[in-house]
Amino acid sequence: MHSAAYALEMPAERTSCVVFSSPHSGRNYLPGFLDRSVLNRNVIRSSEDAFVDQLFASASIHGAPLIAAQMPRAFLDLNRSAEELDPALILGARRQGHNPRVVSGLGVIPRVVSNGRAIYSGKLTMDEARLRIDTYWRPYHARLKSLLAESIDMFGQAILIDCHSMPHEAVAMAGNPKGRRPEIVLGDRFGASASGVIVDQIEAAFSCAGLTVARNTPFAGAYVTQTYGRPARHQHAIQIEIDRALYMNENTIEPNANFLAFRDILEEVIADIARIGSQPARLAAE
């Protein structure tokens, strides 16, 4: 199923309560958006979680839906609240307390891409911002909410896997206690967005595949995990960040020679995670 806001791959039979979501892999760069930007297409794409939707495409084979953004993150960020409007970019937007994401130019309508590079030379109108939110943000989140509600109705719980990729330099200086640089970072907002038992099982799935895993550093999760992670209501949200160097060339934004092999490894992980979601809610959370 495709709409202007998202692509949705549903399994032939839904056998898992897990829902996979890729909010930053959209690559529908509208001509009007590119014309308005002062950046070229390749630079704009630096903020995109390129190919993440392709890496998780096997989710439906293993009984779980995958919803993926159509629009790029530089155009609209689905991992932000619809109210995170940047007064430095949007005419008429009002500052609402101190929001580090908005201040840094990374609100729901981003002002910058990676390394603080400005997307526009001027400001956008409030009408432009609201049109993007109403056309793309609201339909995506409405469908995501319904997928999670369906999981709870069918299985007694929902597990949202929020799929992202991270620049290699973001983890270049990070390490785990054994001194190995993390290749995967799981974010559960330091235990607030998911059962620790479920996060343990997800970590084990990646570790068994030979990948080095860290938790919450340097990424603990943002709007999606904060909003949808409700463990007390049997709704869990875990952010997954994958080191881009594992599967792509960050300079050219193209798959590298390891892409297919890494995708195969990740399919095993996806299958393991989907199996977590096939357990009764009581057993999965204990």
Side-chain angles (χ1 to χ4, degrees):
M1 180 186 299
H2 288 73
S3 73
Y6 59 82
L8 177 61
E9 296 293 335
M10 293 294 293
E13 180 183 2
R14 199 158 167 185
T15 58
S16 174
C17 77
V18 176
V19 175
F20 292 87
S21 170
S22 179
H24 286 166
S25 58
R27 47 190 173 273
N28 183 12
Y29 289 87
L30 300 174
F33 170 59
L34 293 174
D35 291 343
R36 185 137 188 206
S37 175
V38 298
L39 303 175
N40 64 46
R41 183 186 180 98
N42 210 52
V43 173
I44 290 176
R45 291 193 69 192
S46 64
S47 67
E48 177 188 321
D49 286 350
F51 315 116
V52 165
D53 55 338
Q54 296 177 34
L55 291 175
F56 284 88
S58 65
S60 63
I61 298 172
H62 300 288
L66 167 66
I67 184 171
Q70 296 282 77
M71 304 307 293
R73 181 186 186 185
F75 181 81
L76 176 80
D77 194 336
L78 294 166
N79 199 21
R80 299 289 183 265
S81 164
E83 303 308 314
E84 289 185 87
L85 298 169
D86 185 352
L89 175 65
I90 300 166
L91 292 166
R94 302 172 69 178
R95 192 172 301 281
Q96 300 178 0
H98 179 72
N99 184 314
R101 295 191 292 255
V102 173
V103 169
S104 63
L106 297 173
V108 64
I109 310 291
R111 174 166 37 94
V112 301
V113 295
S114 59
N115 297 318
R117 291 168 289 191
I119 299 172
Y120 310 94
S121 60
K123 289 193 172 187
L124 306 181
T125 66
M126 180 64 75
D127 285 345
E128 289 177 284
R130 288 300 181 195
L131 181 61
R132 293 187 192 184
I133 290 167
D134 291 343
T135 306
Y136 306 107
W137 191 98
R138 297 194 190 283
Y140 187 96
H141 281 279
R143 191 65 183 99
L144 180 56
K145 287 177 184 177
S146 69
L147 289 168
L148 295 171
E150 291 163 10
S151 284
I152 290 176
D153 287 344
M154 295 173 68
F155 302 96
Q157 69 170 348
I159 300 172
L160 172 60
I161 304 298
D162 190 37
C163 308
H164 296 265
S165 66
M166 55 189 173
H168 182 67
E169 64 180 17
V171 290
M173 301 303 294
N176 64 14
K178 297 179 181 179
R180 294 183 62 188
R181 181 181 299 161
E183 298 166 310
I184 305 293
V185 177
L186 303 181
D188 64 356
R189 299 189 65 82
F190 298 94
S193 70
S195 159
V197 173
I198 290 174
V199 181
D200 286 346
Q201 291 173 298
I202 293 171
E203 179 174 351
F206 281 103
S207 296
C208 288
L211 296 163
T212 304
V213 185
R215 291 197 195 183
N216 293 309
T217 302
F219 303 107
Y223 174 79
V224 168
T225 48
Q226 182 177 12
T227 301
Y228 296 107
R230 295 288 183 268
R233 302 178 189 175
H234 305 292
Q235 183 168 293
H236 310 271
I238 303 95
Q239 178 176 280
I240 293 175
E241 295 276 2
I242 301 171
D243 183 353
R244 292 174 185 166
L246 293 171
Y247 68 91
M248 66 175 280
N249 183 315
E250 292 185 73
N251 294 321
T252 62
I253 313 181
E254 295 175 335
N256 63 23
N258 298 321
F259 181 85
L260 294 178
F262 181 71
R263 188 183 63 182
D264 289 344
I265 291 171
L266 200 57
E267 180 170 1
E268 297 178 12
V269 176
I270 291 166
D272 286 344
I273 292 173
R275 279 191 286 271
I276 296 169
S278 67
Q279 300 173 19
R282 181 180 59 82
L283 294 177
E286 289 180 355

